[in-house]
Amino acid sequence: MKQGATVYLYELAWILPSIAIPVGMLAALLVTAFGAGIHVPSVAGRIDPTRVTETAPFDQPGVVQTGPVSYEVRMIGQIWAFTPNEIRVPVGSTVTFVATSKDVIHGLFIPGANVNVMLIPGQISRVTARFDRAGEFFMACHEYCGIAHHTMGGKVIVEPRS
C-alpha cells in the first residue's frame, strides 16, 4: 500500500507543475496583451515608397494638433534621418506617430514612451504614446539601415504647459 501511495505522490509532484506552468504563462500573456495595453502597431495603409514626399500626409511632415491634448506627428524615416527630427509637445499630450520610410527599413524607438515600431518602405505605421512628464525623449532608429545608422536620431521635447 505504501509503495503505490509513494508513486502517486511522485506523479502528482510532476503533474501539478506541468499544468500550473502553462496556465501561468497563458495568464501572463493575457494580462500583457489586454491589461497592459501592449499591442502591435496598426498598419494604416500603403503608399508608393518612391512618392512618399508627394503623398498626403507625408507631403507636410511635422506636428499637427488634433484636439485639446492630442497631436499627430507625420514622420518620414530616410537614410539617415527622421523628418522631422525634433518634435515639441506640451506635458500631458497624447501623440500619434504616423510614419513610413521612403528607402529602406528603419525603426522608431523612443525609450520611456512605449514607442517601438518598424518603418517599412511604403507601409504607413501608427503608434500612440502619452507624454506625462516634461523633458527630452531620444528617438533612435533600431533597425540597421546602413553605414551611418548610428547617427540616425532625433528627440521629442515635452514642454511644461503654459
Side-chain angles (χ1 to χ4, degrees), residues 33-44:
F34 299 107
I38 297 172
H39 55 78
V40 175
S42 69
V43 175

Side-chain angles (χ1 to χ4, degrees), residues 45-116:
R46 294 209 33 92
I47 59 174
D48 181 357
T50 62
R51 304 180 70 110
V52 169
T53 56
E54 303 165 18
T55 308
F58 304 105
D59 56 343
Q60 296 179 348
V63 182
V64 176
Q65 188 167 4
T66 58
V69 292
S70 59
Y71 296 84
E72 183 175 272
V73 175
R74 298 160 182 175
M75 177 179 280
I76 301 169
Q78 59 199 353
I79 299 271
W80 289 286
F82 291 114
T83 303
N85 69 346
E86 184 176 290
I87 298 160
R88 292 181 179 270
V89 293
V91 171
S93 297
T94 300
V95 180
T96 300
F97 294 87
V98 180
T100 192
S101 169
K102 67 182 200 178
D103 44 34
V104 298
I105 294 175
H106 296 283
L108 174 61
F109 177 57
I110 306 174
N114 198 26
V115 174
N116 186 349

Side-chain angles (χ1 to χ4, degrees), residues 1 6 8 16 22 26 36 51 59 62 71-72 80 92 103 111 114 127 145 151 153 159-160 162:
M1 186 84 171
T6 306
Y8 176 75
L16 290 178
L26 181 61
R51 304 180 70 110
D59 56 343
Y71 296 84
E72 183 175 272
W80 289 286
D103 44 34
N114 198 26
V127 63
C145 56
T151 66
E159 304 170 320
S162 54

